[in-house]
Amino acid sequence: MILNETYTLSNDVTIPKLGLGTWFIEDGKAAQAVRDAVAIGYRNIDTAQAYDNEHGVGAGVRTSGVARDELFVSTKLAAEIKDYDTAVAAIDGSLKTLGLGHIDLMLIHSPQPWDDFRGGDYAEGNRQAWRALEEAHKAGKIRAIGVSNFQQQDLENILSSCTVAPHVNQLLVHAGNTPAELIAYCESKDILVEAYSPIAHGAILKNQYVQAIAEKYGATVPQLCIRYTLELGAVSLPKTANPEHMRSNAEVDFVISDEDMDALRDLPAQDYGEHREFPVYSGK
Ligand SMILES: NC(=O)c1ccc[n+]([C@@H]2O[C@H](COP(=O)([O-])OP(=O)(O)OC[C@H]3O[C@@H](n4cnc5c(N)ncnc54)[C@H](OP(=O)(O)O)[C@@H]3O)[C@@H](O)[C@H]2O)c1
């Protein structure tokens, strides 16, 4: 069963293949969502400073009834933090807000602040933020460190100066949006890809072409989409606070044919509708 399967990062830390996304789960509801997910068998929970729910996520982890070392908790350094001192303080801030002794994975949320996504030159700022993560990693506060939304040149900037190479790059990956070259580059550098928005933030749910493929496997669209990202070799991070959805999203023990993998990869780009206002869905 997928909930028991793991990948191994380049530093030998294991990470569950399926995780729970928590963007848009409000802080007051996050603890219950985490407890529900853990009760169903999820062991990987993804949050971020920007989601304003680290407090609730941490409370859920602490009250889940499962030992801390059996759970994998990720958070992200806010995209706007591009200097060493602020990054050091924010890492300690996340530990405190989560109320946890360590974080399993912490990522730089974006190579640029959100209001300048894919804009100016933040190479020096990213190196400073990375140094803060490296030091927290070496101090045992964070078991693995990584980045998110980093393109090849953003990764090269870190790789050329780091003492610890990124273990993970969390990227927008779903049927209809498969950055194959970047995924291959990450693989070549032993950087595990995590697929965020595997259900296209909900935009793909009513796609009839995808529905027809899903039916061939007796699967739902979310199940097919989650399975698609797993078969690319990525961690999949579907978001839901609904225990029924959590349960069915973990029922993905089928194999998509090569032909259907190609069809899902080549799907026309999704229209994210009103969500296009978010930088990550802006097409940049
Ligand atoms: N690093 C980054 O920059 C970044 C950016 C975006 C997202 N992320 C991470 O990736 C996670 C997932 O991405 P996402 O939240 O954008 O979207 P997603 O997981 O692609 O889609 C979530 C949507 O799908 C629905 N859904 C989930 N399971 C379902 C099911 N079984 N049946 C029907 N509907 C279902 C959810 O509704 P219900 O809630 O009603 O189930 C919600 O509307 C985030 O929560 C976050 O942790 C990271």
Side-chain angles (χ1 to χ4, degrees):
M1 184 178 193
I2 198 69
L3 289 169
N4 302 325
E5 293 182 22
T6 58
Y7 296 112
T8 302
L9 301 176
S10 59
N11 64 345
D12 284 336
V13 167
T14 55
I15 176 170
K17 288 186 177 181
L18 183 67
L20 182 77
T22 67
W23 187 25
F24 280 106
I25 300 181
E26 55 189 78
D27 197 40
K29 296 192 173 148
Q32 191 56 47
V34 170
R35 282 191 294 265
D36 287 340
V38 172
I40 288 163
Y42 285 76
R43 295 292 178 265
N44 178 352
I45 313 290
D46 179 80
T47 181
Q49 292 173 346
Y51 302 167
D52 279 332
N53 62 11
E54 283 181 315
H55 183 270
V57 166
V61 168
R62 283 183 274 109
T63 58
S64 67
V66 167
R68 173 69 187 90
D69 64 2
E70 287 179 34
L71 299 175
F72 191 98
V73 182
S74 303
T75 193
K76 310 184 194 82
L77 187 67
E80 294 70 25
I81 297 176
K82 299 296 177 205
D83 70 275
Y84 173 79
D85 289 338
T86 312
V88 168
I91 292 165
D92 287 337
S94 272
L95 282 160
K96 194 164 173 231
T97 309
L98 287 160
L100 300 176
H102 71 273
I103 292 163
D104 294 282
L105 173 65
M106 192 154 184
L107 313 173
I108 297 178
H109 206 148
S110 163
Q112 300 87 23
W114 294 122
D115 66 4
D116 194 19
F117 191 58
R118 306 291 181 224
D121 180 1
Y122 298 90
E124 169 58 22
N126 283 318
R127 288 194 293 267
Q128 291 201 23
W130 188 253
R131 185 156 60 86
L133 285 174
E134 286 179 324
E135 289 178 7
H137 173 56
K138 287 171 188 164
K141 296 177 185 180
I142 312 174
R143 294 175 66 227
I145 52 179
V147 295
S148 180
N149 297 298
F150 271 46
Q151 295 179 322
Q152 183 168 332
Q153 71 270 19
D154 304 313
L155 287 165
E156 284 167 351
N157 170 48
I158 300 293
L159 289 169
S160 64
S161 61
C162 63
T163 59
V164 180
H167 301 119
V168 163
N169 190 10
Q170 188 180 117
L171 297 170
L172 178 66
V173 179
H174 57 73
N177 187 86
T178 308
E181 271 181 37
L182 182 55
I183 292 173
Y185 177 76
C186 291
E187 272 172 15
S188 76
K189 299 291 174 190
D190 217 356
I191 299 170
L192 183 72
V193 171
E194 292 190 310
Y196 76 70
S197 304
I199 314 169
H201 201 62
I204 206 166
L205 287 168
K206 296 205 167 73
N207 185 306
Q208 291 186 350
Y209 180 74
V210 178
Q211 268 170 14
I213 298 177
E215 275 166 25
K216 286 204 249 173
Y217 298 91
T220 64
V221 168
Q223 286 169 335
L224 181 76
C225 289
I226 292 163
R227 183 74 210 175
Y228 172 74
T229 56
L230 292 166
E231 283 190 31
L232 292 174
V235 168
S236 193
L237 296 170
K239 170 263 167 187
T240 182
N242 177 334
E244 286 309 312
H245 290 174
M246 290 174 190
R247 212 168 274 118
S248 77
N249 289 351
E251 289 166 4
V252 292
D253 292 321
F254 54 94
V255 177
I256 303 173
S257 70
D258 291 347
E259 190 191 4
D260 287 334
M261 285 296 290
D262 289 347
L264 292 168
R265 182 197 59 212
D266 296 340
L267 209 66
Q270 296 304 301
D271 179 355
Y272 301 106
E274 62 190 285
H275 304 297
R276 239 180 287 125
E277 73 197 53
F278 291 110
V280 291
Y281 307 126
S282 63
K284 287 187 193 162

